Each structure stands twice: as structure tokens, then as C-alpha cells.
Amino acid sequence: AAVAAAEALPFVEREHVQEVYNAIAQQWHGTRYRAWSGVEDFVRRHTCAGSLVADVGCGNGKNMPEVEGRGGFAVGCDFSVGLLDICGERGLEVFAADAVCLPLRSGAFDMAMNIAVLHHISSPPRRRKLVAETMRLLRPGGFALFYAWALEQEAGGVSGHHFESQDVLVPFHKKADVFTGGGSVVVGGGVASVDVVADTGARKEVEAPATTFTVVDVVADA
């Protein structure tokens, strides 16, 4: 059967998200070593022994140890093989998939995390499908957390960027000693920055101000 338009991975996401993350995986991993405090709080409030948690767009798996540390079981997915290789080296349970079309059973998870993924999706139909797919995984009464970069960035904030519109490409500057060249990461849909924007030099991850993000904590219908 033909793949629905919302489920087919567009060229812009393949070239400007998937291929870029594969190329920058090791550098990106070096500055993303722990979960953000808002994610830690969500996990602390909702995870108990035996909780089954889906990390949709898990990246290098930085959020998953938080779940496992509280007795839960985390399953992560991403479409960047470069990032999944890092997860595998860390002993995390992950698989490759497009977050808009997940090969997971409906209603099977107690919690789902969708952290800094939505702004990589290039069209409104795919953005809606991403949210719907994440919610589909939850049992009745399960919890989901969505993070996405906001268009409204405070002056002097962490990102240091000002954006004229919502749908933009943000350049990522890879270290010259690792890779000669660069790439772009697609962002859009009410958000206009991305957490892979980095200086050419190494830097530690810092907690972004609350105003930098659109954060939604939702409960699945009973």
C-alpha cells in the first residue's frame, strides 16, 4: 500500500536533519550528556518500578538513564544511525524509526517523552502526526512530555539567536578537526531554534530558560 503523505520522510528532513545528525553525532554527543531539569522532574513525578517509557527521538539516549534509575524500562527510537550507535555503546535499548510512523503497539506505554523533536518536522501534517503517534503509544491515563524550541527567544538568552519567521534552517558548525563542511537543521511549526546550534568550539550544555521552550505535559484520555 502507498505510504500516506504525512508518513513519508520528506527530502528536506532526510538531507537537513537525518544526514546532518549522522555527520555530527559524536560532536553533538559531547555536549549533551544529561537530561534537562524539566525532563528529570517529569520522570521523577511519573516513573515507578516497572514503568514502560518510550523516548521518541531519543538522540544519544541522554534521557533514558533517568528512567532506568527510578526502576523503569526505557525504549528509545531515532532515525539517526550515528546517534543510535552511541546509544548502543551505552547499552541502551533503541531502534531506528521515523518518529512520525512508529512500529510500536498502541496503548502499551505508561509514559512517552518527545524532547526537542517537533521542531525538526517540516510540515503541519507531519507535526500533527508526530504528536498523534506519541500519544497513541500511551495507556489510558499515561503521561507524555513534549519539548520544542520557541520562536520567542529572550534577548541575551542561551541560543543567542533572533528569528524572523517560524520555518527556518539553522546552520550547525562542525569542528574543523572532525569534519570539513557543515549542514543545516530544519525547524518549524511555531518554533524557530534548535538545540544543535553550537559554537565552533566545544562547550558544555546549559539549562535553557523556561521561556526558550514550549513545554506540554499531557495525559492520555481514559
Side-chain angles (χ1 to χ4, degrees):
V3 177
E7 297 177 2
L9 185 63
F11 174 79
V12 66
E13 291 178 35
R14 185 179 303 280
E15 180 177 33
H16 293 291
V17 184
Q18 186 181 42
E19 293 182 7
V20 170
Y21 271 110
N22 284 338
I24 69 174
Q26 287 298 330
Q27 181 180 334
W28 192 88
H29 173 58
T31 59
R32 276 78 177 176
Y33 52 85
R34 55 160 289 184
W36 292 325
S37 61
V39 178
E40 292 175 338
D41 177 67
F42 174 78
V43 171
R44 183 172 59 252
R45 287 186 290 113
H46 299 300
T47 306
C48 58
S51 293
L52 185 58
V53 182
D55 190 351
V56 180
C58 64
N60 65 345
K62 69 175 185 176
N63 300 311
M64 298 171 69
E66 294 296 322
V67 173
E68 296 173 350
R70 300 191 68 81
F73 182 76
V75 178
C77 68
D78 205 285
F79 70 175
S80 168
V81 175
L83 291 173
L84 292 176
D85 285 344
I86 293 170
C87 291
E89 293 168 0
R90 301 176 66 187
L92 301 173
E93 191 71 30
V94 296
F95 63 95
D98 182 354
V100 170
C101 187
L102 298 171
L104 294 169
R105 191 175 66 194
S106 299
F109 290 82
D110 300 295
M111 296 163 53
M113 299 184 292
N114 194 297
I115 310 302
V117 179
L118 184 62
H119 51 245
H120 292 312
I121 305 303
S122 60
S123 69
R126 281 179 57 80
R127 294 164 194 158
R128 289 190 291 268
K129 187 67 163 59
L130 172 69
V131 174
E133 274 291 271
T134 301
M135 295 303 295
R136 177 183 65 80
L137 303 180
L138 295 175
R139 63 167 175 76
F143 294 90
L145 177 66
F146 293 82
Y147 260 72
W149 281 86
L151 172 63
E152 299 81 8
Q153 300 287 317
E154 287 188 340
V158 172
S159 76
H161 289 271
H162 172 72
F163 300 98
E164 298 295 337
S165 63
Q166 294 177 341
D167 293 338
V168 296
L169 291 175
V170 178
F172 182 94
H173 303 289
K174 197 152 190 253
K175 291 181 181 178
D177 60 342
V178 178
F179 176 75
T180 56
S184 299
V185 179
V186 65
V187 296
V191 292
S193 187
V194 59
D195 68 337
V196 297
V197 174
D199 299 325
T200 53
R203 70 179 185 186
K204 292 183 178 180
E205 180 173 327
V206 294
E207 182 70 20
T211 53
T212 302
F213 290 96
T214 299
V215 185
V216 183
D217 189 343
V218 293
V219 183
D221 292 335

